Amino acid sequence: MEMETFTRFFSWSAFIAILLFIALPMYISRRTVPGNKRRIVILVLGDLSRSPRMLNHAYSAACISSNLIVELIGYAPDQITDLPERIRSSERINITTISTPKKILTHNRVLYLIAALTRVVRQFFAITNILIFMLPNFETLLIQ
């Protein structure tokens, strides 16, 4: 039961950390997108190939307007061919992958706590790096 509490705590802490740094790229980092295009970021906190609803959102958003660029961010699928062809071939969808975190394989509570905290911090910095430093200014952020 206590391991479940730790897992829930770190899931919520990761969610809260993401919410806290959303304001930074939206208000501090005001870089322009070339050609006066708008940008939407779709952040999947999981494997991209296992998120068909978010892939459908990305494809629908890309088809709405020629002035819209979709940035799809998530864990890399096992193979890039696991993603649908319409997503891979779309010129308006840019895919950015995050390295998949390793599973925590310990039953020792202290080691688990340290490993889980390290995992959350690494995920936080990976996503922060992508949203603040790698992407130009975006108008919308959709998180799953």
Side-chain angles (χ1 to χ4, degrees), residues 30-127:
R30 292 291 186 199
R31 292 171 280 174
T32 59
V33 179
N36 211 8
K37 293 193 175 191
R38 296 178 10 222
R39 187 174 303 270
I40 180 173
V41 174
I42 298 178
L43 176 61
V44 178
L45 297 175
D47 188 348
L48 286 174
S49 63
R50 295 183 183 177
S51 302
R53 180 177 292 155
M54 298 309 278
L55 294 177
N56 190 36
H57 289 322
Y59 183 72
S60 297
C63 292
I64 288 174
S65 170
S66 61
N67 287 344
L68 188 64
I69 296 174
V70 177
E71 297 288 345
L72 186 60
I73 303 170
Y75 295 132
D78 295 332
Q79 297 179 359
I80 195 70
T81 56
D82 290 346
L83 293 175
E85 177 63 30
R86 65 184 184 159
I87 300 293
R88 288 182 284 142
S89 63
S90 177
E91 294 178 5
R92 294 189 195 127
I93 299 176
N94 299 325
I95 301 172
T96 305
T97 58
I98 306 168
S99 61
T100 307
K102 297 177 183 176
K103 288 188 176 184
I104 301 172
L105 301 174
T106 183
H107 296 291
N108 183 330
R109 291 181 183 174
V110 174
L111 291 178
Y112 180 84
L113 182 63
I114 293 169
L117 183 60
T118 304
R119 182 178 177 173
V120 169
V121 169
R122 291 180 79 186
Q123 288 174 334
F124 173 78
F125 283 116
I127 294 170

Side-chain angles (χ1 to χ4, degrees), residues 132-144:
I132 293 176
F133 300 112
M134 293 176 65
L135 294 179
N137 186 27
F138 53 90
E139 293 180 5
T140 307
L141 177 63
L142 178 63
I143 302 176
Q144 176 195 24

